[in-house]
């Protein structure tokens, strides 16, 4: 089974794999909302470049903890993911 279909634990290793999936080896990138994030600032709430990973479709709405349901995003943009991906969920 590929990691895109496999249920997994969300941890630093998973987050770094998702970074590489989305941004390759880039040390900095821009998330879907236009916020600059830095690879080294994973889960750093004190950094202006801090980022995390969140579900596109929340688990409470049937979303799975799989690579294809994760989004790398700036630390405080998590609530905006539904606005961006609303059409996917219909």
């Amino acid at each position: 089974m590929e990691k895109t279909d496999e249920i997994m634990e969300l941890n630093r290793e998973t987050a770094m794999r998702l970074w590489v999936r989305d941004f390759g080896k880039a040390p900095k990138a821009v998330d879907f909302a236009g916020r600059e994030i830095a690879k080294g600032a994973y889960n750093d709430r004190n950094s202006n470049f801090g980022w995390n990973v969140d579900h596109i479709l929340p688990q409470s709405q049937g979303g799975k903890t799989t690579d294809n349901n994760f989004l790398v995003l700036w630390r405080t943009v998590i609530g905006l993911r539904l606005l961006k991906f609303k059409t996917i969920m219909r």
Side-chain angles (χ1 to χ4, degrees):
M1 188 178 292
E2 291 183 26
K3 291 210 183 262
T4 55
D5 297 326
E6 180 182 321
I7 295 178
M8 70 195 72
E9 180 182 351
L10 183 54
N11 55 28
R12 184 175 183 81
E13 179 183 340
T14 300
M16 291 300 145
R17 185 179 67 251
L18 294 170
W19 177 280
V20 171
R21 175 197 72 185
D22 292 349
F23 309 116
K25 294 181 180 181
K28 287 191 174 180
V30 176
D31 75 358
F32 78 90
R35 303 287 184 135
E36 191 173 7
I37 54 179
K39 186 175 183 181
Y42 168 69
N43 211 21
D44 184 349
R45 295 178 184 262
N46 297 317
S47 171
N48 289 332
F49 305 104
W51 61 280
N52 214 319
V53 175
D54 198 17
H55 295 86
I56 296 169
L57 181 62
Q59 291 177 295
S60 63
Q61 294 180 9
K64 298 197 183 307
T65 301
T66 60
D67 278 8
N68 60 358
N69 191 40
F70 280 135
L71 183 65
V72 172
L73 64 169
W74 190 64
R75 60 186 165 77
T76 61
V77 180
I78 290 174
L80 296 177
R81 74 192 182 293
L82 288 174
L83 298 175
K84 176 74 173 179
F85 294 98
K86 190 163 76 175
T87 56
I88 292 174
M89 293 183 261
R90 289 184 180 195

